[in-house]
Amino acid sequence: MEKLEMIYEGKAKQIYRTDDENLVIIHYKDDATAGNGEKRGTIENKGVLNNKISNMIYRYLMKHGIQTHLVEELNDRDSLCTKVDIVPLEVIVRNLVAGSAAARYKMEEGTKVLTPIMEICWKDDNLGDPLINDYHAIAFGLATREELDEIYAQTLKINDLMLKMWDEMGIQLVDFKIEFGRTKEGQILLADEISPDTCRLWDKHTGEKLDKDRFRRDMGNVEEAYKEIFSRLEKKED
Ligand code: C5P
């Protein structure tokens, strides 16, 4: 598979064209941003760790019937994926209140909720990814009713599978963000990454944060936390 020119560069990843029009190569960088790009830095080896972490999670989800863009891990930082048009929505699931929800509803971080909460945000950097609802998504042409139904059904299944997977590794899945893409044929696939950049992961016993909040909140030991997540996933895969 030949890596051709870069077609997109985001905050944490680059996307390259390949000699197959249906496939792209995703390259993971060490760059980290928070607060919609206001805070910038690098986390050593983050690209390598997130590439491998995301692929391990995707392999687990695929084994349990979730369709994703992942085709093959090519090397430490590159993965071959199905080319999709990203649906411009950030789909967030909250199993506990934390982060922006704790601030919005003036609740303690870690507050329990009766059922998982699903939110959608309009993926638009200039607007700061505002929280919207289904009416906005449909009215603004971001997704159709049918696509939203499919996205919500897949998201709930992904949450159930991930709650179990992380729990078996001694980790509480507090919340996470996922994105979906449309293939050329119009099929909806889980795309982008799932990693400590996009999830809140707390050690079940100590409550220690093992995710990007360590970077966002200047808590230190960021790389160590990502490595801890990687090594627990690696043990699980064996
Ligand atoms: O900041 P907030 O509490 O809304 O984040 C909810 C979840 O979504 C967190 O796990 C966070 O890491 C993730 N997220 C993300 N990318 C964003 C916004 C949130 O991965 N742009």
Side-chain angles (χ1 to χ4, degrees), residues 11 90-94 98-102 104 119 121 129 175-179 196-200 212-213 216:
K11 292 173 205 146
E90 299 199 329
V91 183
I92 293 172
V93 179
R94 301 182 188 277
S100 70
R104 187 180 314 122
E119 293 174 354
C121 296
D129 304 331
D175 57 30
F176 62 93
K177 182 270 302 181
I178 48 180
E179 295 179 24
D197 272 11
T198 66
C199 301
R200 284 198 173 88
K212 196 175 168 187
D213 274 349
R216 295 186 187 106

